Amino acid sequence: MSETDNQPPVITIDGPSGSGKGTIAKLLAEKLGYTLLDSGALYRLTALAALERETDLSDDATLTEIADGLDIRFELRDGETAALLEGRDVTDDIRGERVSMAASRVAAMPGVRAALLQRQRDFRQPPGLVADGRDMGTTVFPDAPVKIFLTASAEERARRRFAQLREKGVSVSLRDLLEDIRARDARDTNRAASPLAPAEDAVELDSTGIDIDGVLQRVLQLVRERT
């Protein structure tokens, strides 16, 4: 895989919520020995900070200030990445549905996206980076040699999320989850700043009906072809 401007190579994995991109990105980074960027965690951390400060989630200026001044850190613990906000471990907190929905609204704010842009680019370190998000291949790392757009039907993504929450003992309605996913998709694809869309040179993969190992093998094949 060639480097651009002497920069470490980047593999971007974009796609809608629930497409499996986070899991695939983590497995791929482990396989390749690359650094992992979970860009969604940055927006979730911003959302959590905003919720804790009772900030209006439509107030771009205040949200931008929060994003710009975030005291955040990621630590590797027993093979898992822990997210710390102002020194507190909030790994579980940022995965809740309330924060997830707030993060989708926060991520639509142009000021927030601009404030977090350089933070994301700073993850580009040797020997390479796997970047998971919604605009990794279009905005954050447009020069990435390998770009993947991973998707799945809204119904499939809702079923996956339903199974995850039920496994954690959380009571939730499949219908409500499907409505939330469709609403989130609409916000992500229609926002003015970096809307969710595949990069022109991205390879689109539909994971509907395919297990994680099957998707990973397809991604690894693509990486080998472009190496």
Side-chain angles (χ1 to χ4, degrees):
M1 189 179 299
S2 63
E3 296 182 0
T4 302
D5 297 328
N6 297 318
Q7 291 268 34
V10 179
I11 299 169
T12 63
I13 304 180
D14 290 314
S17 175
S19 60
K21 63 185 184 298
T23 301
I24 292 299
K26 181 176 182 296
L27 293 172
L28 186 61
E30 290 175 350
K31 286 274 188 182
L32 300 175
Y34 280 13
T35 300
L36 173 66
L37 166 59
D38 173 5
S39 66
L42 296 176
Y43 290 100
R44 289 170 181 268
L45 286 163
T46 304
L48 177 61
L51 290 171
E52 290 181 343
R53 301 176 195 185
E54 300 183 346
T55 303
D56 181 348
L57 297 183
S58 63
D59 184 346
D60 188 20
T62 302
L63 290 171
T64 299
E65 288 182 11
I66 292 173
D68 195 47
L70 278 181
D71 174 14
I72 58 177
R73 192 168 73 254
F74 295 102
E75 293 182 355
L76 191 62
R77 299 177 179 175
D78 300 322
E80 298 294 332
T81 301
L84 282 74
L85 176 63
E86 298 176 349
R88 296 179 294 126
D89 187 337
V90 294
T91 308
D92 293 333
D93 297 333
I94 64 173
R95 297 300 169 186
E97 283 302 296
R98 179 168 176 255
V99 173
S100 294
M101 294 303 296
S104 179
R105 295 182 61 187
V106 167
M109 298 294 150
V112 173
R113 303 198 73 82
L116 295 179
L117 181 59
Q118 189 57 49
R119 284 189 185 230
Q120 295 172 85
R121 288 178 172 165
D122 288 343
F123 277 82
R124 189 173 196 168
Q125 303 170 8
L129 171 68
V130 177
D132 147 34
R134 287 172 172 75
D135 65 343
M136 296 297 99
T138 54
T139 301
V140 184
F141 301 107
D143 63 335
V146 180
K147 299 177 183 178
I148 297 162
F149 191 84
L150 187 62
T151 188
S153 69
E155 292 76 12
E156 172 91 352
R157 290 182 281 134
R159 286 193 293 269
R160 291 174 183 173
R161 185 61 178 159
F162 181 77
Q164 289 173 346
L165 292 173
R166 288 294 294 271
E167 188 175 333
K168 294 179 180 178
V170 178
S171 178
V172 66
S173 162
L174 180 59
R175 178 179 294 180
D176 288 346
L177 283 176
L178 180 57
E179 290 179 357
D180 287 345
I181 282 176
R182 286 173 172 164
R184 193 177 308 179
D185 286 351
R187 279 195 299 272
D188 290 344
T189 56
N190 294 317
R191 68 190 179 210
S194 298
L196 173 65
E200 290 184 1
D201 53 346
V203 174
E204 297 186 49
L205 295 178
D206 190 332
S207 66
T208 304
I210 307 174
D211 63 19
I212 289 297
D213 186 62
V215 176
L216 178 61
Q217 293 309 312
R218 293 189 183 189
V219 171
L220 284 170
Q221 180 180 353
L222 175 63
V223 171
R224 286 192 293 267
E225 290 173 353
R226 299 200 172 191
T227 298

